[in-house]
Amino acid sequence: MNYFPDEVIEHVFDFVTSHKDRNAISLVCKSWYKIERYSRQKVFIGNCYAINPERLLRRFPCLKSLTLKGKPHFADFNLVPHEWGGFVLPWIEALARSRVGLEELRLKRMVVTDESLELLSRSFVNFKSLVLVSCEGFTTDGLASIAANCRHLRDLDLQENEIDDHRGQWLSCFPDTCTTLVTLNFACLEGETNLVALERLVARSPNLKSLKLNRAVPLDALARLMVCAPQIVDLGVGSYENDPDSESYMKLKAAIKKCTSLRSLSGFLEAAPHCLSAFHPICHNLTSLNLSYAAEIHGSHLIKLIQHCKKLQRLWILDSIGDKGLEVVASTCKDLQELRVFPSDLLGGGNTAVTEEGLVAISAGCPKLHSILYFCQQMTNAALVTVAKNCPNFIRFRLCILEPNKPDHVTSQPLDEGFGAIVKACKSLRRLSLSGLLTDQVFLYIGMYANQLEMLSIAFAGDTDKGMLYVLNGCKKMKKLEIRDSPFGDTALLADVSKYETMRSLWMSSCEVTLSGCKRLAQKAPWLNVEIINENDNNRMEENGHEGRQKVDKLYLYRTVVGTRMDAPPFVWIL
Amino acid sequence: MEVTNGLNLKDTELRLGLPGAQEEQQLEVSCVRSNNKRKNNDSTEESAPPPAKTQIVGWPPVRSNRKNNNNKNVSYVKVSMDGAPYLRKIDLKMYKNYPELLKALENMFKFTVGEYSEREGYQGSGFVPTYEDKDGDWMLVGDVPWDMFSSSCQKLRIMKGSEAPTAL
């Protein structure tokens, strides 16, 4: 098989960077497996319980970058108790013991503690990049360790984490010799920020490209920061309230004009909308705009801002933009690839919401659109059919009609045909989220047409087990299936146990699966971890004489090569 | 009072409005229909007002930090009173100015707050309303404009008598 010496093959492998491709290469032959594993620097682990750190290090001893994901996706919506699992400490301890030259760590939905951050900061001399997304369990003290001890820190990127802010001085823990920062994102911190330390840090970081501030950074500080960092590419504005005539505002306007590299704008956590015009001069360069936390920006100020953003590729917005606002987006942002419209009024009464009209307008005006997340009050099959015709290139299509089980509001029919049109037209569809009134029919369509589908989210949908079976039998590339409040039970769950070996995980909550069904599954498939989460009932399931028929509230199963995990809390049963 | 077949239906009727209030049913219905917030003018809507939206756990599928951020319609803060055994909660958005808020607090805890002056603070009653702002500092209620107060107030505490310093 090998016509070339190993070094040549290894050199060729260096050009192969995607995880999927490298995994494929490693399966070609023993020799390639060996060469590949010694040369692999970046490893992605989609489920931290599918493997353990010892086996990771045995296979990839030259590891430099690790990505780990912990809790299942529905943890984002409070469906998974905090203590469920996903602890990073054992991983960091194992990596530290092995003396591997770790440089990057990316974690999503994991429990991180100050202790693990401290250990991380002291164990890896070349550590450069820490990215934490939707994690919890740590405080600003942990951040202080990272700041103080990581001499070559390049990225500190904190996205939507729950961090206990001790209002301390973590920013001043960066030594004066630290000049290597490229990314600094602390937008999710709630407490006050040492502005002097921040300004000094930014001033001595000539490579700083991405800076995302929290709401404690006021407008005058922002002005001074932007003067220090005109090279900024990605800016997250904190607090943006001010009197437009003040000196700071003038300074800010002047500083913004100099930021000719600025491509991405976000934040505006508190905003005085009439000051947005300060950003108009650079809007024509923007490719990414995230105003989904800017509850106070809407109406004409928002529209004016968007009208300047002709090169936008990514837009995250609140539904207060309205259908009319989306029409402006459709006529202005011809390069738009990704759109997310979040709900602004979660208490109901929705007169600020968007409808199917906004979605149709976007699909008609933005031919390059491939990813959408759309929260809306109502939808029709006709609109979805039109959207499918206009945009056959969707990779991600997530539609959330706020009221569960809501039918087509014109015909009162289920939305099966509309979603059916989407899966039929969009041959590259990898991710789909359903909502509204849906019968088994929609799942028949999904099983038939959604050949590339990897992730499917189902809520309040379907009639019988047939629905789930259509999906399990049809979607050959399915990786993550998450279902809530739908009438699927043991028959569907047990029909093809070997299917779960080809998937990363399955989540089912408030469905019809029973304890005995789950037990049978666990028996048939010892290579699966079948977890039952029982927060409220504790021991009720065991005591009950009819335990077999008792419905399971939350089921989470996933393939694993390392068996039952040892760190599960008492309310999680692993069958 | 309508009595049909010996049953006093009005007594067991479900309706909005305080118990004891008469007439109203027509008024309530027209209130709902003309409410600007209801966009759809479907004739299928019955005369009964829509049920309150039931809270479904984890629905809509939005991260909690987004929910908190965008919930500008309510602003619940905890209120403690020195000596009271438990705390209360009020929605600051229900009030448009300080007099309204102070009146509500007085009713809730059965006390009266004194005369407010910029120099002296609250004089005369021994009760001093204070609040914790976004920076974690305890401030006297009334010093800053209402809008600034209502957007930065995290907690309220009604200090009593000897514990309340004469000058903050």
Side-chain angles (χ1 to χ4, degrees), chain A residues 220-236:
Chain A
D220 55 323
L222 175 65
R224 289 194 295 273
L225 288 167
M226 291 185 80
V227 168
C228 291
Q231 77 281 5
I232 207 92
V233 173
D234 177 15
L235 177 69

Side-chain angles (χ1 to χ4, degrees), chain A residues 76-77 79 134 160 167 192 215 270 292-293 295-296 316 318 342-349 355 375 400-402 404 459-460 484, chain B residues 36-40 53 55-67 69-74 132-137 151:
Chain A
D76 284 354
F77 317 129
L79 289 176
S134 303
E160 298 185 332
R167 292 178 180 154
E192 58 186 42
R215 60 177 77 228
E270 285 159 15
S292 61
Y293 284 100
E296 289 158 62
W316 290 22
L318 290 169
F342 292 96
S344 56
D345 178 6
L346 290 163
L347 296 177
T355 71
F375 284 85
C400 182
I401 303 163
L402 290 166
F460 306 100
R484 63 167 291 179
Chain B
N36 288 333
K37 287 191 169 183
R38 302 240 113 214
K39 256 171 96 176
N40 34 349
K53 281 223 165 85
Q55 297 278 28
I56 306 174
V57 175
W59 193 265
V62 174
R63 293 181 48 83
S64 28
N65 61 340
R66 283 193 186 280
K67 279 187 177 167
N69 188 71
N70 297 332
N71 212 349
K72 299 285 176 176
N73 293 325
V74 294
E132 184 181 18
D133 74 359
K134 282 201 165 115
D135 297 324
D137 300 317
S151 61

Side-chain angles (χ1 to χ4, degrees), chain B residues 82 119-130 138-140 157-168:
Chain B
D82 292 351
R119 281 187 65 206
E120 309 283 336
Y122 291 87
Q123 297 290 319
S125 70
F127 290 100
V128 183
T130 63
W138 284 92
M139 317 283 292
L140 185 69
R157 178 183 164 198
I158 300 163
M159 296 174 78
K160 207 164 71 168
S162 48
E163 287 170 49
T166 46
L168 264 185

Side-chain angles (χ1 to χ4, degrees), chain A residues 150-295:
Chain A
C150 300
R151 302 272 167 88
H152 306 287
L153 196 66
R154 210 180 49 203
D155 308 308
L156 180 58
D157 192 354
L158 308 168
Q159 298 176 29
E160 298 185 332
N161 301 289
E162 275 182 41
I163 306 174
D164 206 356
D165 196 329
H166 287 172
R167 292 178 180 154
Q169 299 300 318
W170 71 278
L171 271 171
S172 41
C173 292
F174 282 100
D176 288 338
T177 47
C178 175
T179 57
T180 46
L181 274 181
V182 173
T183 304
L184 179 63
N185 174 5
F186 59 96
C188 59
L189 282 179
E190 292 290 324
E192 58 186 42
T193 294
N194 182 336
L195 296 174
V196 172
L198 174 62
E199 285 170 39
R200 286 216 193 111
L201 180 61
V202 170
R204 66 176 185 276
S205 303
N207 297 327
L208 192 68
K209 295 280 185 297
S210 173
L211 178 64
K212 291 187 180 160
L213 310 167
N214 73 344
R215 60 177 77 228
V217 180
L219 196 139
D220 55 323
L222 175 65
R224 289 194 295 273
L225 288 167
M226 291 185 80
V227 168
C228 291
Q231 77 281 5
I232 207 92
V233 173
D234 177 15
L235 177 69
V237 172
S239 172
Y240 197 65
E241 289 182 311
N242 209 338
D243 174 352
D245 293 320
S246 81
E247 198 189 308
S248 307
Y249 185 62
M250 294 295 142
K251 245 197 226 160
L252 181 66
K253 284 213 297 201
I256 291 174
K257 283 211 184 95
K258 297 222 174 93
C259 295
T260 52
S261 303
L262 194 56
R263 296 288 173 272
S264 169
L265 195 57
S266 61
F268 296 96
L269 307 170
E270 285 159 15
H274 48 276
C275 299
L276 281 181
S277 51
F279 283 95
H280 289 178
I282 48 88
C283 280
H284 62 275
N285 286 331
L286 287 182
T287 55
S288 169
L289 181 62
N290 179 356
L291 295 175
S292 61
Y293 284 100

Side-chain angles (χ1 to χ4, degrees), chain A residues 389-436:
Chain A
K389 235 186 278 178
N390 292 338
C391 287
N393 298 322
F394 275 120
I395 301 175
R396 292 170 210 98
F397 188 86
R398 293 194 278 164
L399 181 66
C400 182
I401 303 163
L402 290 166
E403 195 185 310
N405 293 318
K406 190 157 185 188
D408 178 321
H409 77 94
V410 168
T411 65
S412 298
Q413 292 297 299
L415 291 171
D416 302 332
E417 298 306 311
F419 279 105
I422 295 282
V423 293
K424 196 165 175 194
C426 302
K427 310 219 186 294
S428 318
L429 195 68
R430 291 206 303 256
R431 183 170 181 183
L432 178 65
S433 296
L434 307 170
S435 59

Side-chain angles (χ1 to χ4, degrees), chain A residues 9-17 22 25 32 35-36 39:
Chain A
I9 299 185
E10 192 182 313
H11 185 64
V12 173
F13 286 1
D14 282 347
F15 293 96
V16 180
T17 47
R22 290 206 73 122
I25 290 178
W32 279 29
I35 299 170
E36 196 282 318
S39 62

